[in-house]
Amino acid sequence: MKKILLLLLVMLAGVSYAQPTFTTGNRNVNFGNIALGKTGERFIQFRVDSLAPAPVTVICSNPHDMQYTIIGDTQFTIEKGQFRNMTIEFIPMAVGQFADSLIFSHDGDTSLVRSPGIIRLNGTGVASDTFARMAIQPGFGVVQLGSVAVGNTRQSSFRIQNTTDTIRTLYGTITAPKPPFSIASNGEPFSLVMQDTVRVFIDFTPDTVGNFFDSVLIHSNADSLNSIRKVYLVGIGLPPGSDTIPRIGVTGIGNGGVNFGNVPSSTSTARYITIRNTSLMNKQLIGTVGNPTISAFTIDSGDVNFTLDSGASAVIKLRFSPSTAGTYRDSLYIVSNALEPTDSTMVLLRGVAVTNSITDDRVVTSISLYPNPAKDHVTSRITLSEPTTINISVFDTKGVEVLSIPSAHYDAGIPDVDFSVKALPNGIYTVRYSFFNSAVSILMVIER
Protein backbone atom coordinates (compact mmCIF):
# COMPACT_ATOMS: atom_id res chain seq x y z
CA MET A 1 0.00 0.00 0.00
CA LYS A 2 2.83 2.42 0.88
CA LYS A 3 4.45 1.70 -2.48
CA ILE A 4 1.20 2.57 -4.29
CA LEU A 5 0.83 5.85 -2.38
CA LEU A 6 4.46 6.73 -3.08
CA LEU A 7 3.94 6.02 -6.79
CA LEU A 8 0.83 8.24 -6.86
CA LEU A 9 2.71 11.09 -5.18
CA VAL A 10 5.50 10.82 -7.74
CA MET A 11 3.01 10.84 -10.59
CA LEU A 12 1.17 13.88 -9.17
CA ALA A 13 4.43 15.75 -8.74
CA GLY A 14 5.07 15.38 -12.46
CA VAL A 15 1.72 16.84 -13.48
CA SER A 16 1.89 20.37 -14.91
CA TYR A 17 -1.15 22.39 -13.83
CA ALA A 18 -1.65 24.81 -16.69
CA GLN A 19 -2.70 28.32 -15.74
CA PRO A 20 -5.48 29.86 -17.82
CA THR A 21 -3.82 32.26 -20.25
CA PHE A 22 -6.76 33.90 -22.00
CA THR A 23 -10.24 34.89 -20.82
CA THR A 24 -12.94 37.27 -21.93
CA GLY A 25 -15.58 39.19 -20.01
CA ASN A 26 -19.32 39.20 -20.67
CA ARG A 27 -20.25 36.75 -23.45
CA ASN A 28 -23.76 38.19 -23.81
CA VAL A 29 -23.82 41.93 -24.52
CA ASN A 30 -27.23 43.60 -24.20
CA PHE A 31 -27.60 47.20 -25.42
CA GLY A 32 -31.18 47.49 -24.18
CA ASN A 33 -33.57 49.99 -25.79
CA ILE A 34 -31.90 52.56 -28.05
CA ALA A 35 -33.89 55.24 -29.91
CA LEU A 36 -33.60 55.26 -33.70
CA GLY A 37 -30.52 57.12 -34.86
CA LYS A 38 -29.02 57.19 -31.35
CA THR A 39 -25.87 55.30 -30.38
CA GLY A 40 -25.49 52.66 -27.70
CA GLU A 41 -21.96 51.73 -26.65
CA ARG A 42 -20.70 48.69 -24.75
CA PHE A 43 -17.24 47.19 -24.41
CA ILE A 44 -15.83 43.66 -24.18
CA GLN A 45 -12.67 42.97 -22.23
CA PHE A 46 -10.06 40.39 -23.31
CA ARG A 47 -7.46 39.42 -20.69
CA VAL A 48 -4.21 37.45 -20.73
CA ASP A 49 -3.05 35.85 -17.48
CA SER A 50 0.22 37.12 -16.03
CA LEU A 51 1.57 33.54 -16.01
CA ALA A 52 0.86 33.02 -19.70
CA PRO A 53 3.85 31.65 -21.65
CA ALA A 54 3.54 34.29 -24.40
CA PRO A 55 1.42 37.20 -25.67
CA VAL A 56 -1.92 36.30 -27.30
CA THR A 57 -3.10 37.54 -30.71
CA VAL A 58 -6.86 38.02 -31.12
CA ILE A 59 -8.71 38.30 -34.44
CA CYS A 60 -12.37 39.43 -34.44
CA SER A 61 -14.86 39.33 -37.28
CA ASN A 62 -17.16 42.27 -37.87
CA PRO A 63 -20.82 41.59 -37.00
CA HIS A 64 -23.06 40.72 -39.95
CA ASP A 65 -25.71 43.29 -39.04
CA MET A 66 -24.56 46.76 -40.10
CA GLN A 67 -26.29 48.24 -37.06
CA TYR A 68 -23.47 46.79 -34.92
CA THR A 69 -19.94 48.16 -35.41
CA ILE A 70 -16.55 47.40 -33.87
CA ILE A 71 -14.75 50.63 -32.97
CA GLY A 72 -10.99 50.28 -33.43
CA ASP A 73 -8.79 47.41 -34.55
CA THR A 74 -10.23 43.95 -35.16
CA GLN A 75 -6.81 42.29 -34.77
CA PHE A 76 -4.51 43.02 -31.85
CA THR A 77 -1.93 41.42 -29.55
CA ILE A 78 -2.25 41.41 -25.75
CA GLU A 79 0.90 41.14 -23.68
CA LYS A 80 1.15 38.85 -20.65
CA GLY A 81 -0.69 40.21 -17.63
CA GLN A 82 -2.47 42.88 -19.71
CA PHE A 83 -5.98 43.39 -21.08
CA ARG A 84 -7.68 45.02 -24.05
CA ASN A 85 -11.14 46.58 -24.24
CA MET A 86 -13.03 46.38 -27.53
CA THR A 87 -15.88 48.85 -28.00
CA ILE A 88 -19.06 47.83 -29.85
CA GLU A 89 -21.60 50.39 -31.07
CA PHE A 90 -25.27 49.72 -31.76
CA ILE A 91 -27.07 52.32 -33.93
CA PRO A 92 -30.57 51.00 -34.73
CA MET A 93 -32.03 52.09 -38.05
CA ALA A 94 -35.42 50.41 -37.57
CA VAL A 95 -37.80 49.55 -34.76
CA GLY A 96 -37.43 46.01 -33.43
CA GLN A 97 -35.07 43.59 -31.73
CA PHE A 98 -31.74 42.80 -33.37
CA ALA A 99 -29.53 39.82 -32.48
CA ASP A 100 -26.09 39.15 -33.89
CA SER A 101 -22.80 37.51 -32.95
CA LEU A 102 -19.19 38.60 -32.82
CA ILE A 103 -16.82 35.72 -33.63
CA PHE A 104 -13.20 35.86 -32.51
CA SER A 105 -10.22 33.52 -32.62
CA HIS A 106 -6.94 33.57 -30.71
CA ASP A 107 -3.70 31.61 -30.34
CA GLY A 108 -3.80 31.38 -26.54
CA ASP A 109 -4.81 28.62 -24.15
CA THR A 110 -8.28 27.31 -25.02
CA SER A 111 -9.02 25.69 -21.66
CA LEU A 112 -11.48 28.46 -20.72
CA VAL A 113 -12.30 30.09 -24.06
CA ARG A 114 -12.58 27.97 -27.15
CA SER A 115 -11.10 29.19 -30.41
CA PRO A 116 -13.06 30.49 -32.23
CA GLY A 117 -15.33 32.03 -29.57
CA ILE A 118 -18.73 33.68 -29.82
CA ILE A 119 -20.02 36.82 -28.12
CA ARG A 120 -23.73 37.36 -28.59
CA LEU A 121 -25.07 40.89 -29.23
CA ASN A 122 -28.63 41.97 -28.51
CA GLY A 123 -30.34 45.33 -28.81
CA THR A 124 -33.73 46.82 -29.50
CA GLY A 125 -34.47 49.82 -31.69
CA VAL A 126 -37.36 51.94 -30.40
CA ALA A 127 -39.07 55.02 -31.77
CA SER A 128 -37.71 58.27 -30.31
CA ASP A 129 -39.24 59.50 -27.06
CA THR A 130 -40.97 56.21 -26.28
CA PHE A 131 -39.40 56.29 -22.83
CA ALA A 132 -39.03 58.79 -20.03
CA ARG A 133 -35.72 60.48 -19.35
CA MET A 134 -34.08 60.89 -15.95
CA ALA A 135 -31.60 63.51 -14.72
CA ILE A 136 -29.81 63.57 -11.38
CA GLN A 137 -28.60 66.73 -9.64
CA PRO A 138 -25.87 67.31 -8.60
CA GLY A 139 -24.65 66.47 -12.10
CA PHE A 140 -21.71 64.33 -10.98
CA GLY A 141 -24.10 62.22 -8.86
CA VAL A 142 -22.06 62.78 -5.68
CA VAL A 143 -23.53 64.06 -2.41
CA GLN A 144 -20.86 65.41 -0.04
CA LEU A 145 -22.08 65.17 3.57
CA GLY A 146 -18.89 66.72 4.91
CA SER A 147 -17.37 66.16 8.37
CA VAL A 148 -19.69 65.29 11.26
CA ALA A 149 -18.83 64.48 14.88
CA VAL A 150 -19.80 61.01 16.08
CA GLY A 151 -23.38 61.01 17.36
CA ASN A 152 -24.42 64.09 15.36
CA THR A 153 -26.38 64.21 12.10
CA ARG A 154 -25.99 66.24 8.93
CA GLN A 155 -28.49 66.29 6.08
CA SER A 156 -28.08 66.91 2.38
CA SER A 157 -30.11 66.04 -0.70
CA PHE A 158 -30.14 65.21 -4.39
CA ARG A 159 -32.79 65.78 -7.01
CA ILE A 160 -34.43 63.41 -9.53
CA GLN A 161 -36.12 65.00 -12.55
CA ASN A 162 -38.15 63.71 -15.46
CA THR A 163 -36.50 65.59 -18.35
CA THR A 164 -38.54 64.12 -21.20
CA ASP A 165 -40.03 66.64 -23.63
CA THR A 166 -43.10 64.50 -24.27
CA ILE A 167 -45.92 63.27 -22.06
CA ARG A 168 -44.03 60.36 -20.51
CA THR A 169 -44.21 59.54 -16.81
CA LEU A 170 -41.00 58.55 -15.03
CA TYR A 171 -41.50 55.71 -12.55
CA GLY A 172 -38.80 54.49 -10.19
CA THR A 173 -37.68 53.09 -6.87
CA ILE A 174 -34.82 54.06 -4.57
CA THR A 175 -32.65 51.51 -2.77
CA ALA A 176 -31.61 52.77 0.67
CA PRO A 177 -27.90 53.08 1.58
CA LYS A 178 -26.23 51.37 4.53
CA PRO A 179 -25.57 53.09 7.88
CA PRO A 180 -24.28 55.63 8.78
CA PHE A 181 -26.18 56.98 5.75
CA SER A 182 -29.98 56.83 5.64
CA ILE A 183 -32.84 58.30 3.64
CA ALA A 184 -34.56 60.95 5.75
CA SER A 185 -37.50 61.56 3.39
CA ASN A 186 -38.82 60.91 -0.13
CA GLY A 187 -37.24 57.48 -0.40
CA GLU A 188 -40.45 55.76 -1.47
CA PRO A 189 -41.27 54.81 -5.10
CA PHE A 190 -41.78 57.91 -7.24
CA SER A 191 -43.93 58.88 -10.21
CA LEU A 192 -42.92 62.07 -12.03
CA VAL A 193 -44.76 63.68 -14.91
CA MET A 194 -42.95 65.71 -17.58
CA GLN A 195 -40.34 68.08 -16.04
CA ASP A 196 -41.48 67.21 -12.49
CA THR A 197 -38.89 66.65 -9.73
CA VAL A 198 -38.49 64.97 -6.36
CA ARG A 199 -35.79 65.87 -3.83
CA VAL A 200 -34.43 62.99 -1.74
CA PHE A 201 -32.96 63.92 1.65
CA ILE A 202 -30.02 61.95 3.08
CA ASP A 203 -28.93 61.85 6.74
CA PHE A 204 -25.34 61.14 7.75
CA THR A 205 -24.97 60.00 11.39
CA PRO A 206 -21.50 58.49 11.96
CA ASP A 207 -21.05 56.21 14.98
CA THR A 208 -17.29 55.83 14.52
CA VAL A 209 -14.42 58.00 13.34
CA GLY A 210 -13.35 57.51 9.71
CA ASN A 211 -14.22 58.00 6.05
CA PHE A 212 -17.53 56.63 4.77
CA PHE A 213 -18.51 55.89 1.17
CA ASP A 214 -21.76 54.37 -0.10
CA SER A 215 -24.37 54.86 -2.80
CA VAL A 216 -28.10 55.05 -3.45
CA LEU A 217 -29.37 52.96 -6.37
CA ILE A 218 -32.23 54.30 -8.52
CA HIS A 219 -34.17 51.94 -10.82
CA SER A 220 -36.54 53.54 -13.34
CA ASN A 221 -38.27 53.17 -16.70
CA ALA A 222 -35.88 55.67 -18.30
CA ASP A 223 -33.93 54.87 -21.45
CA SER A 224 -31.60 51.90 -21.14
CA LEU A 225 -28.41 53.90 -20.59
CA ASN A 226 -29.95 55.69 -17.59
CA SER A 227 -32.54 53.26 -16.25
CA ILE A 228 -30.23 52.38 -13.34
CA ARG A 229 -28.32 55.27 -11.77
CA LYS A 230 -26.12 55.55 -8.69
CA VAL A 231 -25.85 58.56 -6.42
CA TYR A 232 -22.66 58.36 -4.37
CA LEU A 233 -22.55 59.45 -0.72
CA VAL A 234 -19.35 60.62 0.97
CA GLY A 235 -18.87 61.63 4.61
CA ILE A 236 -16.24 61.86 7.34
CA GLY A 237 -16.83 60.86 10.96
CA LEU A 238 -14.97 63.04 13.51
CA PRO A 239 -14.30 62.46 17.23
CA PRO A 240 -17.20 63.43 19.54
CA GLY A 241 -17.29 67.11 20.43
CA SER A 242 -15.09 68.20 17.52
CA ASP A 243 -17.74 70.29 15.77
CA THR A 244 -15.89 73.48 16.70
CA ILE A 245 -13.28 72.97 13.97
CA PRO A 246 -12.71 75.68 11.35
CA ARG A 247 -14.96 75.49 8.32
CA ILE A 248 -14.46 76.94 4.87
CA GLY A 249 -16.93 78.18 2.30
CA VAL A 250 -16.17 79.37 -1.23
CA THR A 251 -18.60 81.49 -3.27
CA GLY A 252 -18.42 82.79 -6.82
CA ILE A 253 -18.46 79.24 -8.18
CA GLY A 254 -21.18 78.06 -10.56
CA ASN A 255 -22.28 74.47 -11.22
CA GLY A 256 -19.13 73.78 -13.25
CA GLY A 257 -16.69 75.93 -11.25
CA VAL A 258 -15.44 79.35 -12.36
CA ASN A 259 -16.46 79.84 -15.99
CA PHE A 260 -14.74 82.72 -17.82
CA GLY A 261 -16.87 82.15 -20.93
CA ASN A 262 -15.69 82.94 -24.46
CA VAL A 263 -12.74 85.32 -24.63
CA PRO A 264 -10.91 86.51 -27.79
CA SER A 265 -7.37 85.14 -27.85
CA SER A 266 -4.61 87.50 -26.67
CA THR A 267 -7.10 89.34 -24.41
CA SER A 268 -8.12 88.67 -20.80
CA THR A 269 -11.06 88.72 -18.40
CA ALA A 270 -11.41 88.43 -14.63
CA ARG A 271 -13.64 86.60 -12.16
CA TYR A 272 -13.78 86.69 -8.36
CA ILE A 273 -14.15 84.05 -5.66
CA THR A 274 -14.73 84.69 -1.96
CA ILE A 275 -13.25 82.49 0.78
CA ARG A 276 -15.16 82.64 4.07
CA ASN A 277 -14.59 81.18 7.52
CA THR A 278 -18.00 79.63 8.24
CA SER A 279 -17.09 78.23 11.68
CA LEU A 280 -19.86 78.40 14.26
CA MET A 281 -17.37 79.38 16.96
CA ASN A 282 -14.36 81.69 16.85
CA LYS A 283 -11.88 79.28 15.28
CA GLN A 284 -9.34 80.81 12.93
CA LEU A 285 -9.22 79.53 9.36
CA ILE A 286 -5.64 79.41 8.07
CA GLY A 287 -4.85 78.44 4.50
CA THR A 288 -3.19 78.99 1.15
CA VAL A 289 -4.50 79.37 -2.40
CA GLY A 290 -2.37 77.39 -4.86
CA ASN A 291 -1.61 78.73 -8.33
CA PRO A 292 -3.24 77.05 -11.37
CA THR A 293 -0.94 74.89 -13.46
CA ILE A 294 -1.83 76.38 -16.87
CA SER A 295 -0.39 79.83 -17.58
CA ALA A 296 -3.64 81.08 -19.12
CA PHE A 297 -5.15 81.14 -15.60
CA THR A 298 -3.53 83.35 -12.94
CA ILE A 299 -4.28 84.82 -9.52
CA ASP A 300 -4.49 88.54 -10.27
CA SER A 301 -4.90 89.88 -6.74
CA GLY A 302 -5.81 88.89 -3.20
CA ASP A 303 -3.89 87.39 -0.31
CA VAL A 304 -3.09 83.80 -1.25
CA ASN A 305 -1.95 83.17 2.36
CA PHE A 306 -4.96 83.96 4.54
CA THR A 307 -5.91 83.91 8.23
CA LEU A 308 -9.62 84.49 8.81
CA ASP A 309 -11.60 84.79 12.04
CA SER A 310 -15.07 83.27 12.24
CA GLY A 311 -17.36 85.08 9.76
CA ALA A 312 -14.47 86.88 8.01
CA SER A 313 -13.80 86.54 4.27
CA ALA A 314 -11.12 87.15 1.64
CA VAL A 315 -11.64 87.97 -2.05
CA ILE A 316 -9.39 86.42 -4.70
CA LYS A 317 -9.33 87.87 -8.22
CA LEU A 318 -8.69 85.32 -10.98
CA ARG A 319 -7.72 86.18 -14.54
CA PHE A 320 -8.03 84.23 -17.79
CA SER A 321 -5.49 85.37 -20.44
CA PRO A 322 -5.35 82.87 -23.33
CA SER A 323 -2.66 83.36 -25.96
CA THR A 324 -4.12 81.03 -28.59
CA ALA A 325 -7.60 79.81 -29.51
CA GLY A 326 -8.90 76.69 -27.83
CA THR A 327 -10.67 75.29 -24.78
CA TYR A 328 -8.87 75.70 -21.44
CA ARG A 329 -9.58 73.78 -18.24
CA ASP A 330 -7.64 73.74 -15.01
CA SER A 331 -8.13 73.91 -11.26
CA LEU A 332 -6.70 75.61 -8.23
CA TYR A 333 -6.63 74.18 -4.72
CA ILE A 334 -7.36 75.99 -1.48
CA VAL A 335 -5.54 74.14 1.30
CA SER A 336 -6.46 75.02 4.88
CA ASN A 337 -6.81 73.75 8.43
CA ALA A 338 -10.54 73.27 7.86
CA LEU A 339 -12.10 69.86 8.00
CA GLU A 340 -15.40 71.02 6.59
CA PRO A 341 -16.04 69.96 3.92
CA THR A 342 -12.37 68.89 3.63
CA ASP A 343 -8.96 70.42 4.24
CA SER A 344 -8.51 70.87 0.48
CA THR A 345 -11.07 72.55 -1.75
CA MET A 346 -10.75 72.22 -5.53
CA VAL A 347 -12.03 75.08 -7.69
CA LEU A 348 -12.46 74.15 -11.35
CA LEU A 349 -11.50 76.80 -13.92
CA ARG A 350 -12.64 76.86 -17.52
CA GLY A 351 -12.68 79.24 -20.44
CA VAL A 352 -12.75 79.29 -24.23
CA ALA A 353 -10.47 81.42 -26.38
CA VAL A 354 -12.16 82.26 -29.69
CA THR A 355 -10.81 83.57 -32.98
CA ASN A 356 -12.31 84.87 -36.21
CA SER A 357 -10.86 81.88 -38.03
CA ILE A 358 -13.21 79.00 -38.73
CA THR A 359 -10.40 76.49 -38.16
CA ASP A 360 -10.94 74.17 -35.20
CA ASP A 361 -7.74 74.55 -33.19
CA ARG A 362 -8.66 71.96 -30.60
CA VAL A 363 -6.13 69.16 -30.39
CA VAL A 364 -8.19 66.98 -28.04
CA THR A 365 -11.82 67.04 -29.18
CA SER A 366 -13.25 64.50 -26.70
CA ILE A 367 -12.24 62.28 -23.79
CA SER A 368 -14.23 59.45 -22.21
CA LEU A 369 -13.36 57.16 -19.31
CA TYR A 370 -14.74 53.65 -18.80
CA PRO A 371 -15.71 51.63 -16.93
CA ASN A 372 -16.79 54.29 -14.47
CA PRO A 373 -17.28 53.26 -11.66
CA ALA A 374 -14.03 51.32 -12.04
CA LYS A 375 -12.60 48.33 -10.19
CA ASP A 376 -9.05 47.46 -11.20
CA HIS A 377 -8.42 48.97 -14.64
CA VAL A 378 -9.80 51.89 -16.64
CA THR A 379 -9.52 52.95 -20.27
CA SER A 380 -9.35 56.52 -21.55
CA ARG A 381 -10.62 57.00 -25.10
CA ILE A 382 -9.12 60.21 -26.48
CA THR A 383 -10.02 61.79 -29.82
CA LEU A 384 -7.05 63.71 -31.27
CA SER A 385 -7.19 66.04 -34.27
CA GLU A 386 -3.38 65.95 -34.53
CA PRO A 387 -0.44 64.16 -32.88
CA THR A 388 0.25 65.38 -29.33
CA THR A 389 1.82 64.46 -25.99
CA ILE A 390 -0.53 63.79 -23.07
CA ASN A 391 0.16 63.41 -19.36
CA ILE A 392 -2.45 61.76 -17.13
CA SER A 393 -2.60 62.35 -13.36
CA VAL A 394 -5.09 61.14 -10.74
CA PHE A 395 -5.95 63.23 -7.65
CA ASP A 396 -7.92 62.34 -4.53
CA THR A 397 -10.60 64.56 -2.98
CA LYS A 398 -7.90 66.47 -1.06
CA GLY A 399 -6.10 67.39 -4.26
CA VAL A 400 -3.19 65.03 -3.59
CA GLU A 401 -1.76 63.34 -6.69
CA VAL A 402 -2.09 59.60 -6.05
CA LEU A 403 -1.24 58.25 -9.49
CA SER A 404 0.74 59.53 -12.46
CA ILE A 405 0.84 57.89 -15.89
CA PRO A 406 4.09 58.72 -17.76
CA SER A 407 3.75 61.23 -20.61
CA ALA A 408 3.37 59.62 -24.02
CA HIS A 409 3.07 60.86 -27.60
CA TYR A 410 -0.02 59.76 -29.53
CA ASP A 411 -0.87 59.95 -33.21
CA ALA A 412 -4.02 61.63 -34.48
CA GLY A 413 -7.11 59.45 -34.25
CA ILE A 414 -8.81 57.74 -31.32
CA PRO A 415 -6.16 56.07 -29.13
CA ASP A 416 -7.10 54.08 -26.01
CA VAL A 417 -4.97 54.61 -22.91
CA ASP A 418 -5.31 51.84 -20.30
CA PHE A 419 -4.04 52.12 -16.74
CA SER A 420 -4.44 50.25 -13.47
CA VAL A 421 -6.17 51.62 -10.35
CA LYS A 422 -5.77 48.45 -8.27
CA ALA A 423 -3.65 50.28 -5.70
CA LEU A 424 -6.30 52.97 -5.06
CA PRO A 425 -9.00 52.46 -2.41
CA ASN A 426 -12.71 52.95 -3.04
CA GLY A 427 -13.65 56.59 -3.42
CA ILE A 428 -13.96 59.54 -5.77
CA TYR A 429 -11.01 60.84 -7.79
CA THR A 430 -10.24 63.45 -10.43
CA VAL A 431 -8.40 62.33 -13.57
CA ARG A 432 -6.56 65.23 -15.21
CA TYR A 433 -5.39 65.05 -18.83
CA SER A 434 -2.71 67.68 -19.59
CA PHE A 435 -1.82 68.42 -23.21
CA PHE A 436 -0.36 71.30 -25.21
CA ASN A 437 -1.43 74.41 -23.23
CA SER A 438 -4.65 73.02 -21.80
CA ALA A 439 -6.06 70.37 -19.48
CA VAL A 440 -9.31 68.46 -18.98
CA SER A 441 -10.52 66.83 -15.75
CA ILE A 442 -12.96 63.90 -15.46
CA LEU A 443 -14.51 62.56 -12.26
CA MET A 444 -13.74 58.87 -11.62
CA VAL A 445 -15.33 56.59 -9.04
CA ILE A 446 -13.63 53.41 -7.77
CA GLU A 447 -16.06 50.89 -6.32
CA ARG A 448 -15.35 47.21 -5.72
Side-chain angles (χ1 to χ4, degrees), residues 296-378:
F297 298 105
T298 55
I299 298 176
D300 196 45
S301 65
D303 192 354
V304 295
N305 299 304
F306 56 85
T307 300
L308 302 174
D309 293 329
S310 180
S313 60
V315 177
I316 304 294
K317 183 179 180 181
L318 304 173
R319 184 165 294 278
F320 175 46
S321 307
S323 58
T324 59
T327 300
Y328 295 78
R329 296 183 182 178
D330 198 4
S331 57
L332 60 82
Y333 290 90
I334 304 171
V335 182
S336 70
N337 63 333
L339 289 177
E340 175 57 38
T342 67
D343 59 1
S344 179
T345 302
M346 182 177 70
V347 178
L348 297 176
L349 309 175
R350 54 184 180 144
V352 178
V354 296
T355 177
N356 293 329
S357 170
I358 61 173
T359 302
D360 187 355
D361 292 327
R362 294 179 298 172
V363 175
V364 177
T365 58
S366 68
I367 296 178
S368 60
L369 185 71
Y370 61 91
N372 193 9
K375 291 184 178 180
D376 296 328
H377 293 85
V378 293

Side-chain angles (χ1 to χ4, degrees), residues 58 68 76 112 183 200 207 216 235 292-293 306 318 329 344 379 448:
V58 181
Y68 292 101
F76 46 85
L112 292 182
I183 296 179
V200 182
D207 55 3
V216 171
T293 57
F306 56 85
L318 304 173
R329 296 183 182 178
S344 179
T379 297
R448 300 182 178 90

Side-chain angles (χ1 to χ4, degrees), residues 162-170 192-197:
N162 180 355
T163 58
T164 183
D165 52 5
T166 59
I167 304 175
R168 302 288 175 187
T169 301
L170 177 68
L192 303 176
V193 298
M194 181 177 61
Q195 299 301 317
D196 198 6
T197 64

Side-chain angles (χ1 to χ4, degrees), residues 33 131-136 160-163 169-175 189-192 198 216-230:
N33 296 331
F131 36 67
R133 293 192 176 100
M134 179 170 62
I136 305 293
I160 305 171
Q161 182 179 20
N162 180 355
T163 58
T169 301
L170 177 68
Y171 302 97
T173 59
I174 303 172
T175 302
F190 58 86
S191 175
L192 303 176
V198 61
V216 171
L217 199 62
I218 303 170
H219 294 263
S220 74
N221 65 327
D223 58 288
S224 61
L225 293 179
N226 294 288
S227 61
I228 302 177
R229 295 283 298 275
K230 280 187 178 181

Side-chain angles (χ1 to χ4, degrees), residues 263-320:
V263 178
S265 57
S266 301
T267 63
S268 68
T269 187
R271 294 289 187 272
Y272 298 85
I273 63 171
T274 301
I275 304 170
R276 183 178 297 276
N277 183 348
T278 60
S279 304
L280 300 178
M281 300 182 66
N282 190 22
K283 295 290 182 179
Q284 280 193 332
L285 176 68
I286 303 171
T288 301
V289 181
N291 285 303
T293 57
I294 297 175
S295 60
F297 298 105
T298 55
I299 298 176
D300 196 45
S301 65
D303 192 354
V304 295
N305 299 304
F306 56 85
T307 300
L308 302 174
D309 293 329
S310 180
S313 60
V315 177
I316 304 294
K317 183 179 180 181
L318 304 173
R319 184 165 294 278
F320 175 46

